[in-house]
């Protein structure tokens, strides 16, 4: 009998929220509003979708601590 361990990679979703703190005399109340989602694909891609910008997906990359490339425009490009 042979036993194989199989791992399935599935797309994962993470909620993006904002937090508002309402201070009272006794305690603080925290209210969270969902403003978007982060989707992590099975191939390792990260995508951010914000509800206030529909039909726009932002790609998320790790920080490499390198300077951003400089784009030089020619004389006739603006």
């Amino acid at each position: 009998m042979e036993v194989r361990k199989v791992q399935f990679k599935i797309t994962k979703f993470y909620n993006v929220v904002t937090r508002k703190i309402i201070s009272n005399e006794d305690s603080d109340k925290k209210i969270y509003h969902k403003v978007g989602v982060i989707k992590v694909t099975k191939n390792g891609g990260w995508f951010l979708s914000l509800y206030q910008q529909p039909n726009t997906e932002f790609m998320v990359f790790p920080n490499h601590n390198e300077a951003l490339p400089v784009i030089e425009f020619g004389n006739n490009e603006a």
Side-chain angles (χ1 to χ4, degrees):
M1 179 177 189
E2 183 177 338
V3 177
R4 293 183 185 182
K5 184 177 180 181
V6 179
Q7 285 187 326
F8 295 102
K9 290 187 175 184
I10 61 172
T11 301
K12 294 181 182 180
F13 293 90
Y14 297 91
N15 292 326
V16 178
V17 299
T18 62
R19 180 175 69 185
K20 182 176 183 179
I21 299 174
I22 301 173
S23 298
N24 288 341
E25 299 167 356
D26 301 335
S27 63
D28 292 338
K29 181 178 180 180
K30 296 175 184 169
I31 300 173
Y32 295 90
H33 296 281
K34 187 174 176 182
V35 295
V37 294
I38 292 179
K39 174 176 68 173
V40 182
T41 64
K42 59 185 173 183
N43 295 331
W46 287 63
F47 299 90
L48 170 66
S49 296
L50 299 174
Y51 296 148
Q52 71 268 26
Q53 295 181 330
N55 301 321
T56 304
E57 272 194 346
F58 300 91
M59 296 169 34
V60 181
F61 297 100
N63 185 4
H64 294 288
N65 293 328
E66 298 174 2
L68 294 174
V70 175
I71 300 173
E72 294 184 21
F73 293 103
N75 292 336
N76 55 0
E77 296 179 341

